[in-house]
Amino acid sequence: MDKIVDVSIGGISFTLEAEAYSILTKYLNEVESRLSNKSFAKEVLADIEYRIAELLSERVKPKKVVPPETINSIVEQIGYPDEDVNSQKQKKQDYTHRKRIYRDSDEGIIAGVCSGLGAYFRVDPLVFRAIFIGLLFLHGFGLLFYLILWLSIPKAKTPLQKMEMMGDKQSIDNLLNEIKEDINSIGTKIKKSEKDGILGKLINLLGQILIYILKAIGIIVKVIAIIIGSVLIAGMLLLFISLVFAIFFASYGLSHFTFLGGIGISLNEIISSVIDISSGYWITIPLFLVFAIPIVALIYAGFRIIFRVKAKDKNLAIIALVLWASAIFALSITTFLQVKSFSASGQHVSKVLIKTDPRAPHTLYCKSFNYISDSTIQQLSTSILNLKLIDYKGEQLLSGEPKLIIEKSEENKPAVTIIKNSRGTNRFIAKRNAKMVEYSITQKDSVITFDPIFVIPNDIKWKNQSVTIELHLPVGQKIYIDETLAYILDENQPNCIYWPDELVGKTWVMTQKGLRPAK
């Protein structure tokens, strides 16, 4: 097996066969000996190595061994200094490198963008300068476009790059001529600068000012990007922590921003109390992933904006996208099954007669009570839609506020009708769910006490239950409405023209036209 040698050419590592390495070393030594009497030999050798590395990168695949034939071909293309012109014409192949766009700072006024474009397209740079000046009047688009080209087009620094910019043949003789022209141009520029009058100095000053303005704009853009990234990271981290606490631990973090009360009960516990499902995690985990994955992605974007991180994160993005789509799918299936359990409605109606003495009509005193003061009931400040979560004898139950409507009765005795509504998978289940809602009223002498809440047992969960109380009063019946009923009095009273806050604390009488103040 042939020996191989690892070498660095123009800053790039290559693996050469021993014979190829010998040919390359001999060639470089020969070039160096022919240029030994020239002051710019070191610069020429550096450019030649750069060109050899470029040609090897084009012709040899990565991690492949370079054979001697490839080195011979490159040496033949580049040639030797002071090589006979006739011998160059007799070569079988005319090696001309493709042109490349560079910024020509030697002929440029600001950054060499227009002069570089002019050299590439073989057009007078004045044409491009006129175009950019015209674009300045389009809301400053010319300045932005110039800045983009400045940042994206590299500057032609070496003689080899200048030859690529002009599209010249890249032989050693041409390279030497380019270096000689650069040396001669230095003296010419010095003499020209001495002869430049006020106009030349003014143009140069304006160019320098524009350079500093563009640099300042670049700094401002970087500062704005850092601020945006910092705000993005801080905001998304706060939101992520709040999301974790709200769903899995306690909703303290969202107490002022959502319908959750935020007293230390997790969303998982709330879902288990409300939704008919074996475990609340079937909803909370997909729900968490749906929101958490975009939040984490924004945090990562903030870090990339600030620190300019370049990472191969394609696989990670695909995994996150698949996980996010799976979470949405799982959440959709669960939601569909829950919606199905609300497809039918049911109602349970019960009637309670009010005991009165027809021989001695008296005023009925209707009141409620503050259930929070009841020692067996503790209200948790968490509200879910129109329901509240209470702790009743150590058990967390859902409760809601009933609605009280006072109507005129066609009968001679007052009565109360309790209407309970609920949803379910079918009408039978919906009616059963409505019947199981717990609500009661009590009467002692002429005092009627209405429960301020109705309670939903845990075994039926939340199915949009509601309770409506209809108090039917015959004409002539007087009633005193206590302040404790203010929260459950319905705003839409069919036989009354007063608002609930106007009804409480007063005595009323039912007339043919509805409730009127008692005299």
Side-chain angles (χ1 to χ4, degrees), residues 190 202 216 246 273 285-286 350 355 358 364 371 377 428 452 477 502:
I190 293 173
L202 181 61
S273 301
I285 290 180
S350 59
K355 298 177 183 178
L364 293 176
Y371 68 93
I377 299 177
F428 175 78
Q477 177 67 56
E502 297 175 319

Side-chain angles (χ1 to χ4, degrees), residues 273-285:
S273 301
V274 173
I275 298 179
D276 188 13
I277 194 170
S278 58
S279 174
Y281 289 113
W282 286 104
I283 292 180
T284 53
I285 290 180

Side-chain angles (χ1 to χ4, degrees), residues 101-340:
I101 296 180
Y102 288 97
R103 288 188 289 111
D104 187 3
S105 59
D106 295 337
E107 301 296 331
I109 295 177
I110 300 175
V113 173
C114 294
S115 56
L117 292 172
Y120 182 82
F121 293 105
R122 297 189 181 276
V123 177
D124 192 332
L126 186 61
V127 174
F128 291 100
R129 290 177 183 134
I131 292 174
F132 279 109
I133 292 173
L135 292 175
L136 279 174
F137 296 97
L138 295 178
H139 304 286
F141 176 74
L143 180 61
L144 177 62
F145 189 37
Y146 189 91
L147 180 61
I148 293 172
L149 293 179
W150 186 354
L151 296 174
S152 59
I153 299 176
K155 179 181 176 181
K157 298 179 180 179
T158 67
L160 186 61
Q161 291 174 337
K162 293 176 183 179
M163 291 169 62
E164 289 178 335
M165 179 177 65
M166 301 301 297
D168 294 336
K169 295 179 181 179
Q170 296 175 8
S171 64
I172 290 183
D173 286 340
N174 288 339
L175 187 59
L176 291 173
N177 293 332
E178 183 68 30
I179 293 174
K180 290 177 183 178
E181 290 178 3
D182 285 347
I183 293 173
N184 295 330
S185 66
I186 293 174
T188 304
K189 288 179 180 179
I190 293 173
K191 294 178 181 179
K192 184 179 178 181
S193 64
E194 292 176 351
K195 295 180 179 179
D196 281 345
I198 297 175
L199 181 60
K201 293 180 179 179
L202 181 61
I203 293 174
N204 184 57
L205 177 61
L206 291 175
Q208 293 296 325
I209 292 173
L210 185 56
I211 289 174
Y212 286 120
I213 291 174
L214 293 174
K215 288 182 178 179
I217 292 174
I219 294 173
I220 292 172
V221 170
K222 290 179 181 178
V223 171
I224 293 174
I226 291 173
I227 293 173
I228 292 174
S230 301
V231 172
L232 194 63
I233 292 172
M236 291 301 104
L237 277 175
L238 180 62
L239 186 59
F240 182 80
I241 293 171
S242 300
L243 183 67
V244 172
F245 272 87
I247 292 181
F248 298 109
F249 298 103
S251 53
Y252 291 106
L254 302 177
S255 57
H256 300 289
F257 304 104
T258 67
F259 60 86
L260 300 176
I263 50 83
I265 182 169
S266 68
L267 181 62
N268 185 65
E269 292 175 312
I270 294 174
I271 289 176
S272 299
S273 301
V274 173
I275 298 179
D276 188 13
I277 194 170
S278 58
S279 174
Y281 289 113
W282 286 104
I283 292 180
T284 53
I285 290 180
L287 183 65
F288 172 76
L289 292 175
V290 166
F291 288 100
I293 290 175
I295 290 173
V296 172
L298 289 174
I299 293 173
Y300 177 67
F303 276 106
R304 293 197 62 172
I305 291 173
I306 294 176
F307 301 106
R308 298 183 180 181
V309 179
K310 292 183 179 180
K312 297 180 180 179
D313 48 11
K314 183 179 180 181
N315 294 334
L316 184 63
I318 293 174
I319 293 172
L321 183 62
V322 171
L323 196 60
W324 186 70
S326 301
I328 291 180
F329 178 76
L331 195 61
S332 301
I333 294 297
T334 307
T335 304
F336 172 76
L337 295 176
Q338 292 302 314
V339 170
K340 189 177 179 181

Side-chain angles (χ1 to χ4, degrees), residues 237-499:
L237 277 175
L238 180 62
L239 186 59
F240 182 80
I241 293 171
S242 300
L243 183 67
V244 172
F245 272 87
I247 292 181
F248 298 109
F249 298 103
S251 53
Y252 291 106
L254 302 177
S255 57
H256 300 289
F257 304 104
T258 67
F259 60 86
L260 300 176
I263 50 83
I265 182 169
S266 68
L267 181 62
N268 185 65
E269 292 175 312
I270 294 174
I271 289 176
S272 299
S273 301
V274 173
I275 298 179
D276 188 13
I277 194 170
S278 58
S279 174
Y281 289 113
W282 286 104
I283 292 180
T284 53
I285 290 180
L287 183 65
F288 172 76
L289 292 175
V290 166
F291 288 100
I293 290 175
I295 290 173
V296 172
L298 289 174
I299 293 173
Y300 177 67
F303 276 106
R304 293 197 62 172
I305 291 173
I306 294 176
F307 301 106
R308 298 183 180 181
V309 179
K310 292 183 179 180
K312 297 180 180 179
D313 48 11
K314 183 179 180 181
N315 294 334
L316 184 63
I318 293 174
I319 293 172
L321 183 62
V322 171
L323 196 60
W324 186 70
S326 301
I328 291 180
F329 178 76
L331 195 61
S332 301
I333 294 297
T334 307
T335 304
F336 172 76
L337 295 176
Q338 292 302 314
V339 170
K340 189 177 179 181
S341 65
F342 284 76
S343 56
S345 61
Q347 188 178 85
H348 179 268
V349 180
S350 59
K351 192 171 183 179
V352 179
L353 293 176
I354 302 299
K355 298 177 183 178
T356 58
D357 188 353
R359 294 171 298 177
H362 55 270
T363 301
L364 293 176
Y365 290 86
C366 298
K367 70 181 188 70
S368 184
F369 64 90
N370 187 356
Y371 68 93
I372 299 178
S373 62
D374 192 321
S375 60
T376 61
I377 299 177
Q378 177 186 359
Q379 178 185 347
L380 305 177
S381 60
T382 302
S383 299
I384 305 150
L385 302 177
N386 60 338
L387 303 177
K388 287 184 173 64
L389 201 60
I390 64 171
D391 193 327
Y392 180 69
K393 295 181 180 180
E395 186 178 11
Q396 290 182 357
L397 300 173
L398 286 173
S399 67
E401 291 182 354
K403 292 299 179 182
L404 175 60
I405 298 175
I406 303 174
E407 294 189 351
K408 182 177 68 175
S409 175
E410 300 298 332
E411 299 179 1
N412 295 327
K413 293 183 179 182
V416 174
T417 301
I418 302 173
I419 304 172
K420 303 175 184 178
N421 294 286
S422 182
R423 309 289 297 187
T425 307
N426 52 56
R427 293 177 64 86
F428 175 78
I429 295 177
K431 188 173 182 179
R432 184 202 64 183
N433 293 339
K435 184 178 181 180
M436 294 182 68
V437 174
E438 298 176 4
Y439 183 79
S440 62
I441 63 172
T442 57
Q443 179 183 5
K444 186 176 181 181
D445 298 328
S446 60
V447 178
I448 304 173
T449 303
F450 296 85
D451 279 2
I453 59 173
F454 62 87
V455 177
I456 302 172
N458 272 334
D459 52 350
I460 61 172
K461 306 297 180 181
W462 175 72
K463 290 294 180 288
N464 197 26
Q465 291 90 338
S466 64
V467 173
T468 301
I469 311 157
E470 295 179 353
L471 176 58
H472 301 274
L473 300 177
V475 175
Q477 177 67 56
K478 291 184 178 182
I479 180 177
Y480 176 81
I481 303 176
D482 190 72
E483 288 85 350
T484 54
L485 290 175
Y487 293 102
I488 66 173
L489 277 171
D490 198 321
E491 294 181 353
N492 300 315
Q493 298 289 337
N495 293 281
C496 183
I497 59 174
Y498 301 95
W499 292 99

